[in-house]
Amino acid sequence: MTNYYDELLKLCGWDDDEINKERPRIDKVFQKLELGPEDMKRADSWVRQNHEVKLEGVRKLLRAWLKELIDLVLAKDEGKKVVYYGFPSIQGPGMAIKAAAPEEIYCACPDTILCHTLGQIFNKLTPILEAGEENGLPPGHAMCSLQQVRVGGLVKGIIPLPDLVTCSSYSCDMGSKADELLHEKYGYPAVYVDGSMDSRWGEFPAYLPQRVEFLGAELNKLFDTVKEVVGVEVTLDAWDKAMSTSRYLFRAIGQLTQLMMADPMPISSVEIGLALELSAASTGRAITEGPEAVDTLCQEVKRRVDEGVGVVEKGAPRILNFVAHFSDPSIMHMMENAGLAMSTMLAAVPPPKAPPSTYTTLGEIRAERVMTSGELYHSNYGMVRRLGDAVKTLNIDGVIWDYLFNCRLMSQSSHLLKKWVEENTGVPVLALEIDLYDSRNYSADALKVRVETFAELLRARKAFAKV
């Protein structure tokens, strides 16, 4: 028996047997999400407009996101202990928690999942944002829209109350403040991973050993709290298992990143964002569905590269940006329609290879890796240096640094980054104020003039370089 959502699910890679098997779960979830027949019609149009659904790999990625959404909404109903982490998050602890008890634990970043499903698939994120605004994170006060999504999801009863939440309180201070609000409202425990980003400008790749020891102790505190609250012990064996199972996904993403450097660019950056953020938001479907989806997409993209097929014209300026928009794919398409090859994102560029660790505890081993990679958790200068190295290595023509005005971390580094990269690499940088989660104010139309002007500048530079 068909239902009002069957055609949309088929568009997103599901087959009839799978839909029928999962129908009781789907019915329950869509009822909680208040998704009816009209929503399916709108979603069908939105998905066809913004995703290359003729590619099987894209359909598999959309399927993985939808399955993760269903797992999230039903986690408590299905007897799972629920652990949430924030975005951005130090890569690894969430997967290790899941690997320690895969059948007992649901562990994910729920706000990112809602963005990529209710936003990228159903185009119905606004009611969730509005619920967050009405329940402690009001509009017009520079509140983080990603946290508004989490608050709204809890208030509307879409996502279950967690048994434990964890977030960085020094990289993303807004996340810990929002979790304090939710702790007061709902009473669930939170563990904050603290640290220090007070490095001297120019210090990276060096760092004080005390930073590893302190951050390592904070991560060990997280694992101890998981054992105390959830009853699951995260060991080195669990960590090794998590890294082993996730390696297939990251290897496939690395291959896809290399294929994106072809000229012309073979596929939209929107689809690369789907793969990258699945690995950041999910510890479940990212592992069970992700590698096959990305492998399939790599094969299809490789055929496009061999045939010279592209989504922008050959010779288009090659762009490195921070991250794709989480909820509104039309913004990335606007950049590509301006004639820019959004070839890769910083998150897709492998960090420097770390030397063998001299530390013994799980927290310190991961903390040392964070310090050596130059990611968000070392310092502003570490992030700037990593971006500059990527620009040189990938032969990039320009950078779009899409920063959130309401994010201390990203706004603080935005113009420092622009100045340093332009002075040290000669590559132009567009510091583009945006909201990566909520496009009500920063829509594709609102950003179009700045992006098109930047594209004209880069085309003129490329033309001049040939003279």
Side-chain angles (χ1 to χ4, degrees):
M1 182 180 73
T2 61
N3 211 323
Y4 65 94
Y5 50 71
D6 286 28
E7 292 306 312
L8 177 69
L9 293 185
K10 290 177 186 177
L11 181 66
C12 294
W14 295 58
D15 60 36
D16 288 323
D17 291 341
E18 198 169 32
I19 294 171
N20 289 328
K21 180 181 177 181
E22 292 291 308
R23 198 176 296 283
R25 302 178 79 227
I26 299 167
D27 287 339
K28 192 171 183 178
V29 168
F30 282 12
Q31 183 177 2
K32 281 194 174 187
L33 295 173
E34 300 176 344
L35 294 172
E38 290 303 314
D39 296 303
M40 297 302 136
K41 293 177 183 177
R42 181 174 58 249
D44 185 282
S45 175
W46 183 250
V47 169
R48 291 180 189 277
Q49 177 184 341
N50 288 292
H51 294 286
E52 295 194 57
V53 289
K54 58 182 172 292
L55 298 177
E56 183 183 2
V58 170
R59 297 196 301 275
K60 286 183 175 182
L61 282 170
L62 293 171
R63 182 180 67 180
W65 277 108
L66 284 170
K67 287 186 174 183
E68 187 68 40
L69 174 66
I70 293 168
D71 293 344
L72 165 63
V73 174
L74 298 180
K76 270 293 178 70
D77 294 345
E78 295 177 342
K80 300 291 179 68
K81 295 281 189 178
V82 176
V83 178
Y84 292 154
Y85 55 84
F87 181 90
S89 173
I90 295 174
Q91 194 77 36
M95 286 191 173
I97 293 169
K98 175 70 172 180
E103 301 303 319
E104 302 169 26
I105 295 287
Y106 179 84
C107 183
C109 180
D111 16 294
T112 301
I113 294 166
L114 293 180
C115 281
H116 282 80
T117 52
L118 292 182
Q120 294 236 13
I121 296 174
F122 294 102
N123 192 21
K124 199 179 178 181
L125 192 64
T126 297
I128 312 297
L129 289 161
E130 290 174 344
E133 291 171 340
E134 293 165 1
N135 288 272
L137 299 178
H141 288 72
M143 300 295 181
C144 175
S145 48
L146 194 60
Q147 298 305 320
Q148 289 171 336
V149 170
R150 180 176 295 199
V151 173
L154 286 167
V155 166
K156 290 177 71 68
I158 291 172
I159 61 176
L161 292 176
D163 296 283
L164 180 68
V165 299
T166 178
C167 66
S168 158
S169 58
Y170 72 102
S171 176
C172 175
D173 54 347
M174 186 66 199
S176 57
K177 292 298 183 184
D179 280 328
E180 285 182 18
L181 165 70
L182 292 168
H183 169 74
E184 292 300 318
K185 186 175 180 66
Y186 295 111
Y188 59 71
V191 55
Y192 306 109
V193 177
D194 207 350
S196 170
M197 295 183 71
D198 295 333
S199 296
R200 295 184 299 274
W201 187 260
E203 184 177 27
F204 180 81
Y207 54 86
L208 293 173
Q210 290 91 330
R211 292 192 63 190
V212 172
E213 293 162 9
F214 182 59
L215 179 56
E218 290 289 291
L219 290 171
N220 287 330
K221 176 187 71 176
L222 163 62
F223 297 132
D224 290 342
T225 308
V226 169
K227 183 178 180 180
E228 177 185 345
V229 174
V230 184
V232 170
E233 183 175 7
V234 181
T235 63
L236 281 169
D237 286 342
W239 183 274
D240 290 341
K241 180 180 177 182
M243 295 302 99
S244 176
T245 54
S246 63
R247 191 172 297 121
Y248 300 104
L249 175 61
F250 294 125
R251 184 168 59 197
I253 290 174
Q255 182 184 352
L256 190 57
T257 301
Q258 291 298 316
L259 290 168
M260 284 292 288
M261 302 308 296
D263 187 16
M265 187 179 74
I267 192 173
S268 171
S269 58
V270 168
E271 320 306 359
I272 311 306
L274 284 180
L276 276 173
E277 300 311 330
L278 183 65
S279 69
S282 162
T283 65
R285 298 296 179 169
I287 302 304
T288 59
E289 313 275 336
E292 181 186 354
V294 182
D295 274 340
T296 300
L297 187 56
C298 283
Q299 295 170 25
E300 293 172 312
V301 173
K302 176 65 165 57
R303 285 194 291 270
R304 284 192 173 191
V305 172
D306 293 342
E307 296 166 2
V309 175
V311 296
V312 294
E313 67 178 11
K314 189 176 178 64
R318 192 187 306 276
I319 300 296
L320 171 66
N321 77 320
F322 173 56
V323 67
H325 200 285
F326 276 43
S327 64
D328 187 353
S330 69
I331 290 178
M332 303 306 296
H333 286 305
M334 175 272 293
M335 296 178 181
E336 292 164 355
N337 291 338
L340 297 175
M342 308 297 291
S343 298
T344 193
M345 294 158 230
L346 189 58
V349 180
K353 187 174 178 59
S357 180
T358 58
Y359 292 92
T360 57
T361 72
L362 191 52
E364 287 175 322
I365 291 169
R366 189 57 204 160
E368 183 182 36
R369 184 71 187 95
V370 169
M371 290 299 111
T372 59
S373 68
E375 294 173 340
L376 293 166
Y377 298 91
H378 182 284
S379 62
N380 284 335
Y381 181 74
M383 176 61 74
V384 167
R385 271 288 304 273
R386 186 177 174 201
L387 183 75
D389 291 344
V391 165
K392 294 174 183 177
T393 301
L394 300 174
N395 194 27
I396 293 296
D397 297 309
V399 174
I400 294 182
W401 189 253
D402 38 7
Y403 70 95
L404 287 74
F405 80 100
N406 51 358
C407 174
R408 173 185 57 81
L409 180 67
M410 297 308 300
S411 60
Q412 182 186 65
S413 62
S414 59
H415 291 74
L416 290 171
L417 180 145
K418 172 179 169 64
K419 184 176 186 294
W420 191 92
V421 171
E422 289 184 341
E423 289 178 353
N424 288 272
T425 70
V427 170
V429 178
L430 172 62
L432 187 65
E433 184 175 288
I434 196 173
D435 191 318
L436 289 166
Y437 320 112
D438 179 2
S439 59
R440 289 176 295 175
N441 294 320
Y442 294 85
S443 65
D445 288 340
L447 300 167
K448 186 177 179 181
V449 171
R450 292 197 66 196
V451 172
E452 288 181 340
T453 303
F454 187 60
E456 286 295 328
L457 165 69
L458 296 182
R459 281 192 288 270
R461 282 171 54 92
K462 286 179 70 76
F464 181 77
K466 293 179 181 179
V467 175

